[in-house]
Amino acid sequence: MGRWYTPQVTQDPMQPAAPSNAVRLEAVSGPFEGRSFPLTEDEISIGREPDNQISLLDSLVSRRHCIIQKNGEGFLLRDLDSRNSTFVNQVPVNERLLADGDEIRIGKSILIFQGLSTKASGVHASLELDSAPTPGGPTLILRKQDAIYLQPTLPLASVATERALRDLKVLLDFSETLNSVRGLAALQHKVLEAVLETSSADRAAILLTEQGTNGFSSAIGWDRRLGPNQPIQVSQTILNQVLGENLAVLCNDVPSDQALREVESLLAPRVRSVLSVPLEVQDKVLGALYLDTSSQNVRFDAELLQLVTALGNIAALAIENASHVERLGDENRRLQQEINIQHSMVGESQRMREVYQFVSRVAARESTVLIQGESGTGKELVARAIHKNSGRADRPFVAINCAAIVDTLLESELFGHERGAFTGAVGQKKGKLEIAEGGTVFLDEVGELAAPLQAKLLRVLQEREFERVGSTRPIKLDIRLIAATNVDLNEASHAGKFRQDLYYRLNVVSLEVPPLRTRPEDIPLLAAFFTARYSEKVNRRVAGISPKARACLLRYPWPGNVRELENAIERAVVLGSTELILPEDLPDSILEETASSEEPITALHEGIREAKKKLIEQAIEQANGNYTEAAGILGVHPNHLFRLIRTLKLTPKRQRRT
């Protein structure tokens, strides 16, 4: 539960009201999910106590958790020494100047900071309000129930005049015109253009209210002489009546009212008549349509009030629909930015969506990334996705497997060497780091680096320079580093097997790639993907995977993760003989692990299982109960033997003591 408190602001009635800048927080999770909070004040406090502007009743939130302050540079978020920190884009911060799209996590709530809309820039006119009373000249008030053109059944007798018929044609043409306009700003301009064409007003304006505030999200003015997007001056009292009471108001002979003689906003342009109508949809007032004239020969009449009221009603529905479309477009762009990234990964599970979201958030940053996960989970694919979606995408991506190169050669591979640096160095050679200049270096199995190389890598990260083997000349380096490991570097650093300072340098932003067993819903997608890939590669048509084979794939725990699944499907495509992958096409290890004890998958497989049982039992008996010796007799690793015993449900005699 939570509560949003709108601060009350007292404004000098004679001073211009600042237009709303539409900067806001969009709640995407937590108690306020789906709500929008405009940042209209110089300082907004967020916390658990009810006197905060945004009050979050969450045990993870401190009483006063953080504040967002408006300054000359934008909006600054400042953590107030909270217990559980304030996170921006998954990183805890003390102070952070917010950028459009930043994700702010406070306890269980996630808020998206939305900055100034580039589409809206240039369409807000300067808005000046005054608090003078309603003019004392001839004033006409029109309620919705009295608007002729808004009745369910139009009383023909009351409109059977030449002007009324002309107005009906104007309304019909206006409706057809709005149907062809796309975009909220273009729509508002078209409304103002139509109002000026059908009236003798000198100026017209549309003002759209900002939900939850006393300000306006949009204020567009049009001067018949100067053109669109001109400064507008309106009567706040008239607007309050129009917006607060949902009334259409017409005021003539403004100069004759003594209360208005000192109001500069009306006297400066010599305003003589004012007309304003609400923009209302389904009992919701979106804003107001405002007209005035300075001409002594023009008087707004009741027929014009009826016509503009009807025009406003039609325009309000179009504006509401256009606003809804723009909101959906903004949300779609935000989601596309998160999800629709370039990558080669396959999977639609929640765990993989979290990986995609991680990539979308960190790709544009320059931070070092540490990718952790079991072997075969696709850590390099994640690294490549980060590179593809970064500003370095057109520069090299250089992958180095630290476990595949012997320590004596790895230093030369990384940093390069000069001629004569060691035996066999017959020429100068650039290292992988130098080759990747301007791009991304991916260090796979970074936990396998020898201690001396760890120290040199730390210096590279700190100083952003290195030296070739056999050289003393430093070379400046501009790369982004992404490291991956299948071991717990935190635990290794505490055990003295990995430098703690290097671990902290690598672990700036980290991701745990989920093992395949934790996202079984992705197995069919991956299997289908690999089936299509290898059937094309080996030029053998394979239509798909049989239900029984799919069941085996889903029951198997995949200790080798995606890499093991890929190898299994490749084997099945190569060795299979039908259009479907069948259980017998899969590796024996999968069948042994997944076979049902009640019903064998195939008679052939059941015969193989029985033969394996006998061979294992004979080997154990021959080894006098010693499993290690039995594994040697069978020519398998002891761990594999233990696994076979478990999957085949054997209960051999215990190892005998000697």
Side-chain angles (χ1 to χ4, degrees):
M1 296 295 294
R3 184 177 178 188
W4 165 246
Y5 293 83
T6 303
Q8 300 298 315
V9 181
T10 303
Q11 181 181 327
D12 182 350
M14 299 303 295
Q15 292 297 319
S20 168
N21 57 12
V23 178
R24 63 199 183 279
L25 295 177
E26 300 281 355
V28 296
S29 72
F32 287 127
E33 182 175 351
R35 293 280 300 277
S36 177
F37 305 117
L39 301 181
T40 56
E41 298 304 305
D42 290 339
E43 181 175 303
I44 299 292
S45 64
I46 305 174
R48 197 172 70 246
E49 288 185 342
D51 62 348
N52 291 285
Q53 273 81 11
I54 301 180
S55 177
L56 300 172
L57 298 183
D58 181 348
S59 61
L60 299 177
V61 177
S62 299
R63 290 185 177 87
R64 280 180 57 78
H65 199 98
C66 66
I67 57 174
I68 297 177
Q69 297 174 314
K70 187 187 300 184
N71 62 21
E73 297 179 87
F75 287 81
L76 181 72
L77 182 144
R78 179 176 296 152
D79 183 77
L80 300 177
D81 197 24
S82 61
R83 288 178 299 143
N84 295 303
S85 299
T86 304
F87 290 77
V88 177
N89 300 327
Q90 298 187 336
V91 178
V93 298
N94 291 322
E95 286 189 1
R96 173 67 62 88
L97 191 64
L98 296 173
D100 192 34
D102 276 350
E103 177 191 282
I104 305 168
R105 178 162 65 83
I106 302 169
K108 299 174 184 176
S109 297
I110 295 180
L111 307 169
I112 305 297
F113 176 77
Q114 301 285 5
L116 292 171
S117 172
T118 54
K119 293 182 296 181
S121 61
V123 301
H124 290 94
S126 174
L127 174 63
E128 294 185 8
L129 299 174
D130 67 74
S131 58
T134 303
T139 300
L140 181 61
I141 301 295
L142 180 65
R143 292 173 173 82
K144 183 178 179 181
Q145 58 267 30
D146 298 325
I148 296 174
Y149 300 116
L150 302 184
Q151 301 304 315
T153 56
L154 189 65
L156 294 177
S158 64
V159 297
T161 66
E162 183 178 348
R163 178 170 176 178
L165 295 175
R166 185 190 66 195
D167 289 349
L168 286 174
K169 184 178 185 306
V170 168
L171 293 175
L172 179 61
D173 293 342
F174 182 65
S175 299
E176 293 179 351
T177 299
L178 291 189
N179 286 334
S180 64
V181 178
R182 296 293 180 268
L184 182 58
L187 179 65
Q188 293 178 80
H189 278 94
K190 186 61 68 174
V191 172
L192 294 178
E193 185 179 14
V195 168
L196 290 174
E197 285 179 358
T198 57
S199 73
S200 299
D202 293 328
R203 290 164 293 274
I206 288 181
L207 302 100
L208 301 183
T209 58
E210 175 106 46
Q211 186 178 3
T213 74
N214 295 324
F216 297 96
S217 63
S218 173
I220 300 180
W222 192 313
D223 188 296
R224 185 186 295 276
R225 183 173 57 88
L226 301 176
N229 299 328
Q230 298 301 316
I232 56 177
Q233 298 170 315
V234 302
S235 167
Q236 187 174 37
T237 302
I238 292 177
L239 282 181
N240 288 344
Q241 190 172 14
V242 171
L243 298 174
E245 302 177 37
N246 195 12
L247 298 173
V249 178
L250 183 156
C251 303
N252 279 312
D253 295 333
V254 169
S256 67
D257 191 278
Q258 293 183 357
L260 298 177
R261 288 178 179 174
E262 304 302 325
V263 179
E264 294 184 5
S265 62
L266 293 177
L267 292 181
R270 301 181 181 276
V271 173
R272 302 192 63 86
S273 298
V274 176
L275 187 154
S276 183
V277 302
L279 302 174
E280 185 233 355
V281 175
Q282 298 179 347
D283 299 325
K284 174 185 175 184
V285 178
L286 306 179
L289 184 57
Y290 191 95
L291 291 76
D292 69 27
T293 180
S294 302
S295 174
Q296 297 183 10
N297 301 321
V298 173
R299 287 176 59 87
F300 296 154
D301 55 22
E303 286 79 4
L304 179 62
L305 185 62
Q306 289 280 0
L307 175 61
V308 176
T309 299
L311 288 173
N313 194 266
I314 297 171
L317 181 59
I319 289 171
E320 174 70 1
N321 290 336
S323 299
H324 182 62
V325 169
E326 289 203 353
R327 286 194 296 270
L328 290 177
D330 290 341
E331 178 66 9
N332 182 60
R333 280 186 289 275
R334 186 183 69 79
L335 293 174
Q336 289 292 332
Q337 210 171 23
E338 280 193 357
I339 302 300
N340 193 23
I341 56 174
Q342 297 183 49
H343 63 84
S344 303
M345 295 172 281
V346 176
E348 297 179 357
S349 63
Q350 181 59 34
R351 298 292 300 275
M352 288 306 296
R353 289 183 186 275
E354 292 170 1
V355 172
Y356 304 150
Q357 290 170 359
F358 175 88
V359 171
S360 71
R361 292 186 182 117
V362 305
R365 277 66 176 179
E366 288 293 307
S367 303
T368 301
V369 180
L370 177 62
I371 305 172
Q372 303 178 85
E374 299 176 6
S375 293
T377 51
K379 297 186 289 295
E380 183 171 343
L381 290 179
V382 176
R384 289 184 180 275
I386 293 173
H387 174 72
K388 282 182 182 179
N389 294 275
S390 73
R392 299 174 180 267
D394 59 342
R395 305 299 296 166
F397 177 89
V398 177
I400 305 168
N401 189 333
C402 300
I405 305 174
V406 296
D407 295 343
T408 54
L409 297 178
L410 186 55
E411 183 177 5
S412 175
E413 283 290 315
L414 284 175
F415 305 113
H417 61 255
E418 297 289 348
R419 179 180 179 181
F422 50 83
T423 303
V426 295
Q428 185 190 78
K429 176 186 175 183
K430 289 185 177 181
K432 294 291 183 71
L433 295 180
E434 195 171 350
I435 292 173
E437 172 66 20
T440 303
V441 172
F442 174 60
L443 292 181
D444 198 9
E445 305 300 348
V446 70
E448 302 298 323
L449 277 178
L453 282 177
Q454 292 180 29
K456 291 193 174 185
L457 179 60
L458 177 63
R459 183 178 181 276
V460 170
L461 293 176
Q462 290 175 332
E463 306 298 334
R464 294 293 169 175
E465 64 179 30
F466 69 98
E467 297 169 0
R468 295 194 190 109
V469 177
S471 173
T472 58
R473 183 175 63 87
I475 299 174
K476 291 294 182 181
L477 189 63
D478 174 26
I479 61 165
R480 182 182 191 174
L481 184 67
I482 302 177
T485 179
N486 62 359
V487 300
D488 188 336
L489 288 188
N490 186 29
E491 183 179 320
S493 66
H494 285 98
K497 298 179 180 177
F498 197 84
R499 292 182 64 109
Q500 273 197 344
D501 46 6
L502 177 57
Y503 168 65
Y504 295 139
R505 281 285 179 178
L506 294 176
N507 192 34
V508 177
V509 183
S510 64
L511 169 70
E512 183 79 27
V513 182
L516 188 55
R517 62 181 174 276
T518 65
R519 49 186 185 102
E521 59 267 47
D522 290 335
I523 292 175
L525 294 174
L526 286 162
F529 173 77
F530 292 134
T531 299
R533 170 189 282 183
Y534 287 106
S535 63
E536 181 180 353
K537 185 176 181 180
V538 303
N539 198 25
R540 189 176 87 78
R541 185 177 183 276
V542 180
I545 303 170
S546 71
K548 284 188 175 181
R550 184 177 291 108
C552 291
L553 298 177
L554 289 170
R555 286 198 297 265
Y556 187 62
W558 300 106
N561 293 295
V562 179
R563 185 181 294 123
E564 184 182 8
L565 173 61
E566 180 179 4
N567 293 340
I569 297 298
E570 181 180 8
R571 175 189 187 278
V573 170
V574 171
L575 298 181
S577 57
T578 65
E579 287 194 343
L580 290 178
I581 292 178
L582 303 175
E584 53 264 36
D585 300 329
L586 299 174
D588 291 342
S589 58
I590 296 176
L591 297 178
E592 290 162 357
E593 186 84 19
T594 61
S596 170
S597 57
E598 294 83 6
E599 179 183 0
I601 295 177
T602 63
L604 175 62
H605 180 249
E606 180 62 16
I608 294 174
R609 282 172 60 87
E610 291 302 320
K612 284 184 177 180
K613 286 181 180 180
K614 290 181 180 179
L615 286 172
I616 291 171
E617 289 171 345
Q618 289 174 2
I620 292 175
E621 184 176 352
Q622 183 180 343
N624 199 27
N626 187 309
Y627 288 177
T628 303
E629 291 183 12
I633 294 172
L634 293 170
V636 298
H637 193 277
N639 290 341
H640 185 48
L641 176 60
F642 292 135
R643 185 175 166 193
L644 285 171
I645 291 172
R646 184 181 71 253
T647 57
L648 295 173
K649 298 180 174 60
L650 291 175
T651 54
K653 297 177 182 179
R654 292 184 178 180
Q655 180 174 340
R656 300 174 188 173
R657 296 188 180 183
T658 57

